[in-house]
Amino acid sequence: MLEEVERWLADRSWSVADRPLDQLLAAKRAAGTTVSVVLPALDEEATVGDIVEVIRRELVDGLPYPLVDELVVVDSGSTDRTAEVAAKAGATVVHRDDILPRIPAVPGKGEVLWRSLLATTGDIVCFVDADLRDFSAAFVTGIVGPLLTEPDVHFVKAMYDRPLADAPGQGGRVTELVARPLLNLHWPRLAGFVQPLGGEYAVRRSLLERLPFPVGYGVELGLLVDALHTVGLDALAQVDVGVRLHRHQDGQALGRMAAAIYRTAQLRLSRGHLVRPALTQFERGPHGFEPRTHPVDTEERPPMADVEEYAVRRVA
């Protein structure tokens, strides 16, 4: 590990306990900073309501001064009761296709996160996945905290244990098999991030609006790499928030995720013209193994600061 990364680990890796809630509230009020929490959601009726309820109870309604100013669920086309459950629990629900309708939406998590910048106004934008179980408000306070108390920090990722069934630390298979090797080999200054692909991170809007967004699974790696090149390693940080429990993908879904992440890295390494790739996987059918070919996410959205509707809103 680079000496710079060892120093960064000592200076920019914290625990959620390092910043009590009353300290965060005082810092937020003194600076007049606003915080938006965004949950991208697709068919998450089983978990999204509990997450919203915890955030509202502990970080909005139950405080003399709210830590979270906006709590927004962006529904990317759910066929279940995700939107209804989220709204009932107290979130503002916005449908992906209703944000920036001039540009037709494409499937993908990154697409939802990009559009959420137009559906929120907070100085700090905190992303939280909507499939978390046994959710704790520490996922929000932990990653928002450094942005409220450390002026030089611009991007904070959560770190945590990720058990797989009963096996501690065995979750995050794509992280260990794909993302971590890519980062160590090509962006070694990012080798200190425990969960580079984690879906819980908070970023200053002033940085987010300058970054391109891969539309699919590569969004977390793309934002992290581009943030490094935009603001430097010392502006990035991570906070230990405990344990993350969520729904795990099957092997084939992980394969598609890995391909998208590799493609995102490849684009950042070459920035040249590449053939639109596809990934062929195999499923056993009535006549043996049958190929199934899937496109790999390659499209990226431009920095939101370059979008006319966003610029108009800022002037207004």
Side-chain angles (χ1 to χ4, degrees):
M1 183 176 289
L2 298 175
E3 289 185 9
E4 179 185 8
V5 177
E6 292 182 350
R7 178 193 55 76
W8 176 85
L9 278 170
D11 294 342
R12 288 290 188 256
S13 294
W14 294 294
S15 166
V16 64
D18 292 334
R19 294 175 177 83
L21 182 56
D22 57 352
Q23 178 186 354
L24 302 187
L25 292 174
K28 179 177 184 290
R29 191 162 195 173
T33 305
T34 53
V35 176
S36 299
V37 174
V38 173
L39 279 69
L42 177 63
D43 295 330
E44 302 294 357
E45 68 174 349
T47 51
V48 68
D50 290 341
I51 297 172
V52 171
E53 287 178 1
V54 169
I55 294 174
R56 283 211 65 91
R57 181 178 65 248
E58 299 187 24
L59 303 180
V60 182
D61 299 331
L63 299 173
Y65 183 77
L67 184 73
V68 173
D69 301 284
E70 291 180 322
L71 177 52
V72 178
V73 171
V74 183
D75 188 349
S76 58
S78 297
T79 57
D80 65 2
R81 297 173 56 249
T82 291
E84 177 185 345
V85 169
K88 185 177 180 181
T92 298
V93 178
V94 183
H95 295 275
R96 176 198 62 196
D97 296 351
D98 293 336
I99 307 170
L100 199 59
R102 174 177 64 85
I103 300 176
V106 298
K109 180 183 180 182
E111 177 82 356
V112 175
L113 300 185
W114 181 70
R115 289 175 185 265
S116 76
L117 295 183
L118 261 171
T120 57
T121 61
D123 302 312
I124 294 170
V125 183
C126 174
F127 297 121
V128 175
D129 281 349
D131 66 342
L132 302 188
R133 295 184 286 111
D134 296 336
F135 178 77
S136 166
F139 275 82
V140 174
T141 59
I143 56 180
V144 168
L147 298 174
L148 294 173
T149 61
E150 306 287 336
D152 295 334
V153 172
H154 292 261
F155 189 119
V156 183
K157 295 216 69 155
M159 57 177 167
Y160 33 66
D161 294 314
R162 294 185 67 183
L164 179 63
D166 295 327
Q170 295 303 307
R173 291 160 288 174
V174 176
T175 293
E176 299 303 329
L177 297 175
V178 181
R180 199 175 307 286
L182 282 172
L183 293 176
N184 275 264
L185 291 170
H186 299 296
W187 296 281
R189 296 171 71 202
L190 296 175
F193 277 93
V194 176
Q195 298 292 350
L197 300 185
E200 290 70 45
Y201 47 104
V203 193
R204 297 191 192 279
R205 178 177 294 270
S206 57
L207 172 59
L208 275 179
E209 64 188 14
R210 291 186 284 158
L211 302 179
F213 278 62
V215 300
Y217 285 127
V219 63
E220 271 82 30
L221 183 117
L223 290 177
L224 188 60
V225 169
D226 292 342
L228 172 69
H229 292 304
T230 303
V231 293
L233 182 60
D234 281 342
L236 315 181
Q238 61 186 348
V239 175
D240 187 349
V241 298
V243 179
R244 185 184 197 266
L245 301 174
H246 66 112
R247 183 186 66 254
H248 290 281
Q249 305 272 11
D250 62 33
Q252 294 216 333
L254 294 178
R256 296 190 290 274
M257 185 183 301
I261 289 165
Y262 180 80
R263 169 65 171 181
T264 300
Q266 186 183 37
L267 283 171
R268 277 151 180 77
L269 288 169
S270 65
R271 293 298 183 186
H273 175 71
L274 298 173
V275 176
R276 183 177 180 88
L279 174 71
T280 299
Q281 298 175 313
F282 293 87
E283 298 177 7
R284 184 179 289 280
H287 305 293
F289 286 104
E290 300 176 356
R292 300 283 187 272
T293 300
H294 307 270
V296 174
D297 293 320
T298 59
E299 188 170 354
E300 296 196 4
R301 294 305 191 187
M304 187 57 80
D306 296 341
V307 175
E308 181 182 354
E309 288 87 338
Y310 189 80
V312 169
R313 190 188 76 173
R314 293 192 65 180
V315 170

